[in-house]
Amino acid sequence: MEEVLKLLNENNSVQENLQILNEQLKGRIVFSTSFGIEDQVITNEIFSNKLENIEVFTLDTGRLFPETYDVWDKSNLKYGNKIKPFYPEAVTIEKYVLDNGINGFYNSVDLRKECCNIRKVQPLNRALKGANVWITGLRAEQSQNRQGMKLVEWDEAHQLFKFNPLLNWTTEEVVEYLQKKGVPYNTLHHKGFISIGCAPCTRAVKEGEDFRAGRWWWEDQSKKECGLHK
């Protein structure tokens, strides 16, 4: 496996790197999409090139924007593929809401992280079970926490390799790709939303603000990760 991963490099196109994984890696390969602009680039590459050994899934937290569900639906229709959903465990989220209220995550960082854990981290763990390589749409430009990432890195928490094919892409390159290829994207991006998560936890970003300023906007900047990417 590691010999195949060494073939992945920044001199290859995204398509070339994904084809190497699809054709040469003997193991389970998964791609997690949240239907952001980066993820739509990768989704288009996987489905348009019929890379059938790469599984595509998403985490439906139950609190997503209607515009996000619209991109999901349009993507399924465009490519004729079904993106597999993973949901929170009903009993667990029912107890959280009963104990803390429907919007209890506003009350403390710990309660917000607990909500993220139930709605995102636990479903992700189920989705990644048995996987050897996890493809993500992470880019270094997105936050300070992500500037130290590598194209291929070992994810200790999930015991697998993580592949970030758009690591060094700029926002302009991502947008240009979507426009050129006619790929569906979230219309909230036209309204100042850059990083789009759950509706109660995401706002539009003002001019000059950080990429992640709109996520968990009531919290300190240093705390703005949900636990999916440690």
Side-chain angles (χ1 to χ4, degrees), residues 81-146:
N81 293 76
K82 293 183 179 179
I83 297 168
K84 185 175 181 180
F86 284 84
Y87 292 90
E89 294 288 351
V91 173
T92 307
I93 197 62
E94 286 167 3
K95 184 177 187 306
Y96 176 89
V97 172
L98 181 64
D99 291 346
N100 305 295
I102 189 64
N103 290 330
F105 42 80
Y106 288 133
N107 296 328
S108 73
V109 173
D110 286 341
L111 283 177
R112 194 274 293 169
K113 288 184 176 181
E114 183 180 354
C115 186
C116 286
N117 184 61
I118 294 169
R119 294 183 185 272
K120 299 171 78 172
V121 177
Q122 291 178 19
L124 177 71
N125 290 341
R126 286 189 281 116
L128 294 181
K129 187 175 182 180
N132 302 100
V133 176
W134 173 19
I135 301 170
T136 85
L138 296 178
R139 293 189 296 117
E141 189 182 61
Q142 291 169 330
S143 71
Q144 285 186 335
N145 294 339
R146 297 177 180 181

